Amino acid sequence: MWDALPDAARSIVKELIIHGPQSRTALAKTLHLSTGSLTRLTKPMVDAGLLIEGDVVHDPVNGRPTRPLDVAAANHPFLGLKLTADQVHAVITDLRAGVVAARDEPIADHSPEAVCRQARRLLDELSAGAGLSRIVAAGVAIGGDARSSAQVGRERLVDAPFLGWRQVALEPMMERALGVPCVVENDVAALAHQHHWFGAGRGLRDFALVTIGAGIGYALIVHDHLVAATEADLGMFGHLVVNPGGPMCPEGHRGCASAYLASESVENAAGQGLRRAVPYAEVMRLAADGDPVCLTVVREAAAALGRLIAHITTMSMVKTVVLAGEGVELARVGKDDLERALTANRRDVPGSVHVVAEADDFREWARGGAVVAIQSFVTGSD
Ligand SMILES: [Zn+2]
């Protein structure tokens, strides 16, 4: 059904998904369409059940009674998956990426075929639990190169080193297993798309996303589009030097972003001081409680993050930076040091950059997978 949508109709669906229900008059104004064109474009979508009309309200534009249009979000479910080295995180969302059902479980068998079978079982179980008979499409967020690998024909091949996958044709394999169209995307890019349409970046044409966790991720949205990057570009970012005299990362760089911010770096630094192994979450908790060792580790890491954000924003000229990932608690516990370092590296101008620390839930990555599928269907791109 959606393949046949003209571009103007796609713009209408996109506008309603991102900004919520609106009257035809308001929609026509926003999208620079005549009300006649709008009615002509929306009618088939209402008939097909993609758009619905709400209860009568008074139009904010002309005061007349009107029935605002909305997308039938609940009737259009999507599957989102995030694969890590040992876990699969699955969500079923509605058309606005609202989570309807979710589950996390260990990856039982790392072969691509087995992971696809596990995805199918998760889809069946989550669908049954949520009372859904079918989904529209699926998206997989994966730490690795999902976009720019060498292509055979139109087939996109995935490299995911942490799963031991090289040049895997994951999309067709997943489509066969799930029985619906599937899109595979780099996980940081998928998370950036999620924040662009449904999160802290909604309504913004430009922002950067930095993810903190096992690795350090970066994505940039400029003029409403994600700047395309390869795994090599993204891998560089985590090793950008923020303090030449700083601690060393496993690749031998002194004071790179990973040396300060990667979960293992934080755990190792705290572990050295406390002379015992300390998991990341405990370092954050102890720092928040004022433990001197953990507080020092978190303060230094937060200051490094502040410098990193100063570099990003000065070079790219974006004014908003969204922080996400499972290690994002660091930005909350170390907020003052982050802000101080950021301001000091932005000519002492306070508030010149808006930093938003988001949820540290792994399911957000899986939602990113669902959003890539939603976007692909709404915009007709892949
Ligand atoms: Zn490094």
Side-chain angles (χ1 to χ4, degrees), residues 236 238-241 247-259:
M236 299 269 182
H239 295 278
L240 195 68
V241 173
M248 198 182 285
C249 86
E251 291 186 23
H253 315 126
R254 282 221 170 272
C256 75
S258 297

Side-chain angles (χ1 to χ4, degrees), residues 60 73 124 137 176 186 231 253 285 303 307 310 356 363 372:
D124 289 344
R176 279 194 299 276
N186 170 271
E231 181 65 9
H253 315 126
R285 206 165 48 243
R307 283 195 294 278
V356 191
R363 284 187 182 153
V372 173

